[in-house]
Amino acid sequence: MKKSVKKIIAACLAVLLVGTVFAACSSSGGEGGNGTKKYKIGIAQWETHAALDAATEGFKAAVTEKLGAENVEFEYNDAQGEVPNCSTIVNRYASNKVDLIMANATPVVQSAFAATKEIPIVGTSVTEYGVALEISNFTGKTGCNVTGTSDLAPLDKQAAMIKEICPDTKTVGIVYCSAEPNSKYQATEVTKYLAELGITATEYPFADSNDLQSIASKAVADNDVLYIPTDNTAAKNTGIIDAVARPAKTPVFAGEEGILKGCGVVTLTISYYDIGYAAGEMAAQILTEGKNPAEMEIGYAPKFTKKYNAEICKELGIEVPNDYIAIDTAE
């Protein structure tokens, strides 16, 4: 989705002026248990991988707990990492006038916002909503029918982690998918923090999985270590990165646990289940308490955990401090 900032701000202001009470506007809900309203929620997930799956699981758990299983109906669809599929899914939800759309990952939030300015949209697994919605001077509230939770980990601490684990690092190659604006945002930000540590970072964007191997190979050849932000395409294709980096003895620092499991040495990670659960709580507030998404602060992970991949660290001869937790790499 490509919209001008002016158009998006105008749309957001229109939502605020109308003052719609989202919980009462939909005609899709029937009657639930004890004569209560039954809500229909359309879940659109960008693609299947561990992080996004966990966020969806957490979302459904929270909504079911808050509303009761008998009072909510979920419709789930996976866009399989394709924008056209994403648009089709959310446009169908909009046409069917679901009570709420759960948009799992940045491209889904963008497509959902393009599809409707009336139905409330709760996002999750989105790094930066201001970037995703092209909102200038973003202050934590979107001002429109979108709210949700972020998967942003402290990038300054992730940069510091590289220095802690590999103190002799001089150059870092940042590998990410150019189609994911929030990955670009992370690359730009972490570059600043690495520079403060005397480390030079270079970006290696790839278009899709077809050119990931060649891009990753160049990044490995040019740099001491790699850094992979919370990038959906990279998370789906960690095997390609691992097949290049591990034989070259190049450590990969991961933005989240799913990438760590597939190809990384360490990460400072969030729980995607937790941010999905928090998004579900926000959805329940919108549906049952009449909360306006335009006025709800974007939520962030409550805690971050240092984790390491024992198998890869051992193979590369990397010693990890005692405050890191080994992940379970079993399938």
Side-chain angles (χ1 to χ4, degrees):
M1 178 192 74
K2 293 293 182 182
K3 287 178 173 286
S4 69
V5 173
K6 290 183 178 179
K7 287 183 178 180
I8 290 178
I9 292 175
C12 293
L13 289 174
V15 173
L16 283 169
L17 290 171
V18 170
T20 307
V21 179
F22 291 108
C25 73
S26 173
S27 61
S28 67
E31 193 170 282
N34 301 319
T36 60
K37 177 179 173 63
K38 185 168 186 177
Y39 299 98
K40 185 166 185 178
I41 297 176
I43 297 176
Q45 183 169 311
W46 176 238
E47 60 187 346
T48 300
H49 65 70
L52 299 187
D53 292 347
T56 292
E57 182 184 348
F59 177 86
K60 292 174 70 174
V63 171
T64 301
E65 179 182 311
K66 300 298 180 183
L67 302 184
E70 71 279 9
N71 296 322
V72 61
E73 176 186 348
F74 297 107
E75 180 178 346
Y76 169 87
N77 284 279
D78 185 334
Q80 300 178 330
E82 298 288 341
V83 172
N85 293 344
C86 199
S87 297
T88 298
I89 292 165
V90 294
N91 276 301
R92 184 171 70 251
Y93 288 162
S95 296
N96 292 341
K97 294 183 170 57
V98 297
D99 293 289
L100 183 140
I101 296 173
M102 188 279 235
N104 193 348
T106 300
V108 190
V109 168
Q110 293 173 324
S111 294
F113 184 66
T116 178
K117 304 297 184 290
E118 296 178 352
I119 297 173
I121 300 164
V122 176
T124 191
S125 312
V126 176
T127 304
E128 173 58 52
Y129 284 79
V131 172
L133 299 177
E134 299 182 10
I135 301 173
S136 61
N137 301 317
F138 179 64
T139 59
K141 300 177 183 178
T142 66
C144 57
N145 62 320
V146 181
T147 190
T149 55
S150 168
D151 63 358
L152 183 65
L155 298 176
D156 57 339
K157 293 181 180 179
Q158 288 194 345
M161 182 175 285
I162 295 175
K163 191 73 171 178
E164 176 186 31
I165 301 299
C166 297
D168 296 329
T169 297
K170 300 298 181 185
T171 57
V172 174
I174 305 176
V175 179
Y176 65 93
C177 181
S178 58
E180 300 190 34
N182 277 314
S183 297
K184 167 61 177 172
Y185 168 81
Q186 292 173 80
T188 300
E189 292 300 305
V190 81
T191 294
K192 298 175 185 176
Y193 296 121
L194 288 169
E196 292 174 1
L197 298 172
I199 298 172
T200 300
T202 303
E203 297 181 17
Y204 293 84
F206 60 93
D208 53 39
S209 59
N210 293 320
D211 68 340
L212 175 54
Q213 182 175 0
S214 62
I215 295 297
S217 295
K218 179 168 176 50
V220 165
D222 294 347
N223 296 279
D224 299 323
V225 306
L226 300 188
Y227 172 76
I228 316 293
T230 54
D231 182 282
N232 291 299
T233 309
K236 185 85 171 183
N237 296 280
T238 54
I240 295 175
I241 300 169
D242 189 51
V244 173
R246 203 187 313 194
K249 303 296 183 183
T250 301
V252 177
F253 290 79
E256 53 91 12
E257 187 172 345
I259 297 172
L260 172 66
K261 183 176 182 179
C263 64
V265 290
V266 300
T267 188
L268 180 65
T269 189
I270 67 168
S271 164
Y272 276 80
Y273 181 92
D274 287 350
I275 63 169
Y277 191 93
E281 292 180 316
M282 297 172 82
Q285 292 173 346
I286 292 167
L287 294 172
T288 63
E289 300 174 23
K291 289 285 187 72
N292 186 343
E295 300 171 355
M296 298 175 75
E297 291 275 355
I298 298 300
Y300 293 86
K303 60 183 179 180
F304 309 94
T305 307
K306 291 181 176 181
K307 295 190 176 184
Y308 73 102
N309 185 319
E311 176 188 331
I312 298 179
C313 284
K314 181 179 180 181
E315 186 170 332
L316 299 188
I318 293 175
E319 295 186 8
V320 179
N322 293 332
D323 57 340
Y324 284 73
I325 299 171
I327 62 168
D328 181 6
T329 55
E331 293 295 335

